Amino acid sequence: MGRQRYQMNKITETHAVNRMILLFTALYLISYVTRINYGAVIAELVSAEGIQKSLASLALTASAVTYGAGQLISGFLGDRIQAKKLIFSGLLVTIFMNLLIPFCRTPYQMTAVWGINGMAQAFMWPPLVKIMTVLFTEETYKKACVIVSWGSSCGTILVYLLSPVCIYFAGWRAIFVLSALCAAVMAAIWLKKCPGVKEFSGVAATETQERKPLTRNIIFLLPGIMLAIALQGMLRDGVTTWMPSYISETFHLSSKISILTGVVLPVFSIVTFQVTSLIYRKKVRNELLLSGMLYLTGFTAALVLALTNGANAGLSVFLTALLTGSMHGVNLILVCMVPPYFKRFGRISFASGMLNFCTYVGSAVSAFGMAVFSERFGWNSTVFLWSAIALFGGGACLAISKCWGRFAKEA
């Protein structure tokens, strides 16, 4: 690590901080590239292989279920095993699964492989949160979370740009081979450049010092927070996955063109990350209140989208981007900013895993549920469903925002 200055085991030298943030952002980018590539090409897969949307979506559901369940396992292990090793093991497995899926011949084989991939992917985010909370000061952690979150958006942009190119030249299977190669390079860099948090003296004592039992307040608040996170997972991942199909079927565009429209969503999410972070740091420090405001923004976008369904492709893409961007903001606040409050309980990694688990409970429900719902009731009814989910999520956040504010002050 060179000549770095530490304050209570924290990296404080600017250049070293920036290097670490860049490494973590690259890791998160690659984790998205190797996880959402299936969703990016699902419209082409359905078209080229003649598979029903509901059957093709089984792999997405399996991935979301195993990813969500894996969050709990990863979160538990992240407080006990060196986080660097957990992340590296996840990268290795995801490389093999991405290389294996092009050889799958049935939706059920794809489901099995992508389910394993989801479990492997779970060994990245909770340990990464643990590393950042150990290495960075509180303020640096908050800024780092925003920048690292760009990795998800940049990874999504990369996948949605490369997927049509791969489809055009070599078919939908090529995107998985390319993703695996990128992950292999990242694994080598990670092993060489990432510090193991146990290397820093005093870290173990800092993490376990005065470990307190969970209070009655946080036990009361957790169900509401978990519900809000699950609902944003339904909207963020469900809408992102099926937006190309929605655009393709509503406006009769080719799957390649509709996939390209998916680039707008992550671009907008980067803007949302910045705006949300600015409001959080300068105006609204209550995580649940801000999440409620973002939910209501998403509700408005979904309602207008439903009322103007089929009117204009550009407007539909913009409103969908506003909806998913709002959900990315909710995810940033609830999944990234809430876990540090568990530091005094000695459960940062577990809290991160548990809350991220809720995201993918919602994602699992939406991946399969939205496919079935849209097939049975049509896209306009599906968009009205999106607006109802956003309204309910906003209400859940606002209902517990005052109680959360009191708890946060005590922390």
Side-chain angles (χ1 to χ4, degrees):
M1 292 292 292
R3 297 178 61 188
Q4 299 173 359
R5 295 190 299 275
Y6 296 90
Q7 180 182 350
M8 294 180 65
N9 303 307
K10 308 295 182 182
I11 298 177
T12 58
E13 198 271 312
T14 303
H15 190 63
V17 166
N18 291 339
R19 279 206 313 272
M20 286 296 99
I21 291 177
L22 179 62
L23 176 66
F24 300 155
T25 304
L27 171 73
Y28 202 41
L29 183 154
I30 293 300
S31 75
Y32 256 70
V33 166
T34 50
R35 178 156 52 89
I36 69 160
N37 47 9
Y38 186 96
V41 299
I42 193 170
E44 174 65 17
L45 189 154
V46 167
S47 175
E49 305 298 323
I51 301 172
Q52 288 183 325
K53 285 189 295 183
S54 54
L55 283 178
S57 68
L58 286 175
L60 294 175
T61 301
S63 176
V65 169
T66 55
Y67 184 82
Q71 295 292 315
L72 298 176
I73 300 170
S74 175
F76 176 81
L77 294 177
D79 286 323
R80 292 160 175 81
I81 300 175
Q82 191 179 100
K84 175 181 177 178
K85 294 178 180 178
L86 287 177
I87 292 171
F88 181 72
S89 64
L91 279 171
L92 288 182
V93 175
T94 205
I95 290 167
F96 287 119
M97 293 306 105
N98 271 263
L99 289 174
L100 186 57
I101 202 162
F103 297 99
C104 295
R105 291 294 176 263
T106 70
Y108 306 105
Q109 291 174 349
M110 294 176 185
T111 298
V113 169
W114 218 236
I116 296 172
N117 188 62
M119 179 62 72
Q121 292 278 339
F123 285 83
M124 297 191 200
W125 180 250
L128 184 58
V129 170
K130 178 65 175 292
I131 291 173
M132 290 194 294
T133 54
V134 170
L135 296 184
F136 297 149
T137 63
E138 182 179 349
E139 281 305 307
T140 301
Y141 170 82
K142 291 178 180 179
K143 293 177 182 177
C145 275
V146 176
I147 298 173
V148 171
S149 295
W150 292 357
S152 64
S153 300
C154 293
T156 304
I157 292 170
L158 189 61
V159 166
Y160 277 86
L161 284 176
L162 290 176
S163 292
V165 177
C166 290
I167 290 169
Y168 181 80
F169 286 105
W172 59 266
R173 291 176 174 84
I175 189 64
F176 295 100
V177 177
L178 184 59
S179 299
L181 291 175
C182 294
V185 173
M186 185 69 241
I189 295 172
W190 178 260
L191 199 59
K192 184 176 181 180
K193 298 295 184 181
C194 178
V197 295
K198 289 184 179 180
E199 292 171 12
F200 303 109
S201 61
V203 169
T206 302
E207 292 170 354
T208 58
Q209 188 177 18
E210 297 182 2
R211 181 169 175 166
K212 300 176 181 178
L214 295 175
T215 62
R216 198 182 316 179
N217 281 345
I218 193 61
I219 292 174
F220 167 76
L221 288 166
L222 272 176
I225 296 172
M226 293 167 71
L227 174 63
I229 293 174
L231 293 176
Q232 72 82 25
M234 290 180 67
L235 290 175
R236 188 196 68 177
D237 295 339
V239 175
T240 298
T241 297
W242 292 112
M243 193 275 275
S245 295
Y246 164 67
I247 295 296
S248 176
E249 294 175 20
T250 302
F251 298 99
H252 309 291
L253 300 174
S254 71
S255 59
K256 299 179 187 67
I257 297 299
S258 62
I259 287 172
L260 281 175
T261 64
V263 174
V264 177
L265 274 61
V267 169
F268 207 88
S269 69
I270 293 176
V271 176
T272 307
F273 285 141
Q274 292 306 108
V275 173
T276 301
S277 175
L278 182 64
I279 295 173
Y280 176 63
R281 287 185 287 111
K282 303 294 184 181
K283 298 292 184 182
V284 184
R285 296 304 298 266
N286 185 311
E287 288 82 2
L288 272 298
L289 177 59
L290 180 53
S291 296
M293 294 165 59
L294 289 165
Y295 256 119
L296 294 182
T297 302
F299 161 71
T300 303
L303 184 60
V304 175
L305 178 63
L307 296 175
T308 60
N309 183 55
N312 181 274
L315 178 63
S316 296
V317 171
F318 169 76
L319 290 171
T320 306
L322 182 58
L323 169 59
T324 57
S326 300
M327 295 307 102
H328 275 286
V330 173
N331 185 268
L332 173 69
I333 295 301
L334 295 184
V335 176
C336 297
M337 303 305 175
V338 168
Y341 287 100
F342 288 77
K343 182 177 181 179
R344 58 179 166 148
F345 307 122
R347 292 182 172 90
I348 293 174
S349 182
F350 180 75
S352 176
M354 178 182 63
L355 297 180
N356 215 20
F357 161 76
C358 297
T359 294
Y360 291 93
V361 169
S363 180
V365 171
S366 67
F368 181 73
M370 285 185 187
V372 174
F373 193 89
S374 65
E375 285 178 346
R376 182 169 299 181
F377 299 105
W379 281 113
N380 199 41
S381 297
T382 304
V383 177
F384 272 113
L385 176 64
W386 295 348
S387 65
I389 293 171
L391 182 62
F392 189 67
C397 289
L398 295 176
I400 61 174
S401 60
K402 287 186 177 179
C403 186
W404 172 261
R406 290 193 294 269
F407 167 78
K409 287 180 180 178
E410 294 172 2

